[in-house]
DNA sequence: CGAACGACCTGCAGGC
DNA sequence: TGCCTGCAGGTCGTTC
């Protein structure tokens, strides 16, 4: 479900409801996520005031003075703000209720998501070694070009590697490569600096446009208020196998690359 | 070090 | 109707 734009849309949706509020109760119905939900979450988060709601890569960081609730939505995770705490449905694994009666509810059918309680989340091994934010000032074509030296991996796998740059998932990797006319299988180390500048710009633009549209809803993404995103109408190649390339009319091809579906135009992307 | 791949888990669509 | 297969927006650990 969520790539960077969907996580950012979620963050922006939950933040105003959480900031300044105090947690009343934490209900863990299913502790078996990608890692076990720590018991301390339910014992230590209640009573804490929420002082920050931030995002790093696809992780959400809900900060208190004591520690931080680190959330990841995995493939199928979703966060909603509810006015109260209605009867939970299947896969509603976690509720964080607030003193004002509202409830932050985490739902995740596939359970690839994460809920941890950490005093220093950015020092966690999974966050510590992450690459730059694509929308930050330390990401550009020169950086990508430098990172790509001597690398033979396909450029699509390269930009989806969180140690290179974070937040670029399968949808937006395909779209950014199409926009910059690069074939997904092209070995990362064979691409020129000029092309990497185009690719970096394409990544930033596609992510910013998707955020502005509230993300991409393929089947089930909804924001914190239950509204879908609208960027799917702007997708040029993702999920469009056999449909004409918007530039040249050739049918869009689909090919499996690093166990992920890739969509591209053979003629426009080299 | 980098590259390729299996693993985790559920739901759904499509073929028979 | 049911059963089977393959696929899905992520990302880790293992192996070579």
């Amino acid at each position: 479900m969520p790539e960077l734009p969907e996580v950012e849309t979620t963050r922006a949706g939950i933040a105003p409801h959480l900031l300044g509020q105090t947690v009343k109760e934490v209900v863990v119905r299913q502790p078996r996520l990608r890692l076990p939900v720590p018991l301390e979450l339910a014992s230590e988060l209640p009573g804490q005031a929420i002082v920050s709601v931030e995002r790093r890569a696809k992780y959400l960081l809900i900060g208190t003075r004591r520690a931080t609730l680190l959330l990841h939505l995995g493939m199928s995770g979703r966060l909603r703000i509810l006015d109260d705490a209605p009867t939970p449905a299947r896969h509603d694994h976690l509720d964080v209720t607030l003193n004002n009666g509202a409830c932050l509810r985490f739902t995740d059918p596939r359970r690839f998501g994460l809920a941890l309680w950490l005093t220093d989340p950015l020092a966690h091994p999974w966050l510590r070694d992450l690459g730059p934010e694509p929308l930050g000032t330390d990401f550009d074509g020169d950086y990508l070009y430098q990172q790509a030296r001597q690398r033979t991996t396909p450029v699509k796998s390269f930009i989806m590697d969180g140690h290179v740059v974070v937040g670029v998932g399968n949808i937006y990797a395909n779209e950014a490569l199409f926009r910059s006319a690069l074939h997904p299988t092209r070995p990362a180390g064979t691409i020129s600096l000029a092309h990497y500048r185009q690719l970096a710009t394409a990544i930033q633009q596609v992510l910013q446009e998707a955020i502005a549209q509230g993300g991409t809803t393929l089947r089930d993404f909804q924001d914190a208020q239950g509204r879908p995103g609208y960027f799917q109408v702007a997708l040029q190649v993702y999920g469009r196998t056999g449909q004409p390339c918007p530039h040249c009319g050739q049918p869009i091809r689909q090919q499996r690359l690093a166990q992920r579906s890739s969509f591209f135009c053979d003629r426009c992307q080299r």
Side-chain angles (χ1 to χ4, degrees):
Chain A
M1 175 200 5
E3 297 186 37
L4 189 149
E6 292 73 40
V7 177
E8 180 56 27
T9 297
T10 299
R11 189 203 63 77
I14 64 175
H17 296 270
L18 299 181
L19 281 172
Q21 298 295 327
T22 298
V23 174
K24 183 195 295 177
E25 188 186 13
V26 173
V27 180
V28 180
R29 296 186 198 84
Q30 169 58 279
R32 299 177 59 189
L33 302 182
R34 192 147 79 93
L35 294 179
V37 178
L39 294 173
E40 299 77 46
L41 179 64
S43 59
E44 297 182 10
L45 178 52
Q48 295 294 311
I50 294 169
V51 298
S52 59
V53 180
E54 289 165 355
R55 179 188 59 73
R56 169 72 173 116
K58 296 171 192 166
Y59 294 92
L60 288 165
L61 294 85
I62 299 175
T64 73
R65 293 198 169 279
R66 179 152 188 189
T68 295
L69 170 58
L70 181 79
L71 294 171
H72 194 287
L73 303 180
M75 284 281 260
S76 58
R78 170 176 169 199
L79 285 170
R80 274 169 301 171
I81 294 286
L82 302 165
D83 291 335
D84 50 17
T87 308
R90 187 166 154 79
H91 307 311
D92 289 344
H93 305 317
L94 177 70
D95 279 357
V96 177
T97 61
L98 306 173
N99 272 349
N100 68 4
C103 171
L104 176 70
R105 179 164 283 179
F106 175 72
T107 307
D108 184 11
R110 293 178 73 180
R111 287 193 273 129
F112 291 169
L114 206 62
L116 297 179
W117 178 240
L118 301 171
T119 50
D120 190 0
L122 298 181
H124 188 283
W126 291 358
L127 282 79
R128 195 185 48 204
D129 302 322
L130 290 173
E133 290 288 329
L135 301 179
T137 52
D138 47 354
F139 174 76
D140 59 17
D142 296 60
Y143 165 81
L144 277 183
Y145 178 78
Q146 286 307 323
Q147 291 293 309
R149 295 308 82 207
Q150 312 296 94
R151 294 196 54 171
T152 59
T153 200
V155 63
K156 178 164 177 259
S157 305
F158 176 66
I159 60 171
M160 289 179 70
D161 179 349
H163 301 285
V164 174
V165 58
V166 301
V168 183
N170 201 30
I171 297 179
Y172 302 110
N174 280 297
E175 294 298 313
L177 289 167
F178 176 75
R179 289 184 182 207
S180 45
L182 286 166
H183 200 282
T185 60
R186 184 89 174 266
T190 67
I191 294 169
S192 69
L193 173 59
H195 276 115
Y196 270 122
R197 288 182 171 150
Q198 291 177 18
L199 176 57
T201 301
I203 289 171
Q204 292 171 331
Q205 285 179 349
V206 75
L207 294 176
Q208 275 164 344
E209 290 168 26
I211 291 169
Q213 294 299 307
T216 296
T217 296
L218 260 39
R219 45 185 69 82
D220 57 8
F221 172 70
Q222 294 187 350
D223 70 11
Q225 279 71 235
R227 297 174 302 222
Y230 294 97
F231 191 70
Q232 62 276 10
V233 301
L235 298 177
Q236 296 185 98
V237 290
Y238 185 89
R240 303 186 76 89
T241 312
Q243 298 178 40
C245 165
H247 290 171
C248 77
Q250 280 247 131
I252 299 296
R253 286 195 50 206
Q254 176 174 357
Q255 185 181 313
R256 209 102 173 124
L257 180 63
Q259 352 230 62
R260 311 301 296 271
S261 282
S262 298
F263 305 87
F264 52 89
C265 173
D266 259 342
R267 189 150 138 200
C268 294
Q269 295 173 254
R270 301 284 165 153

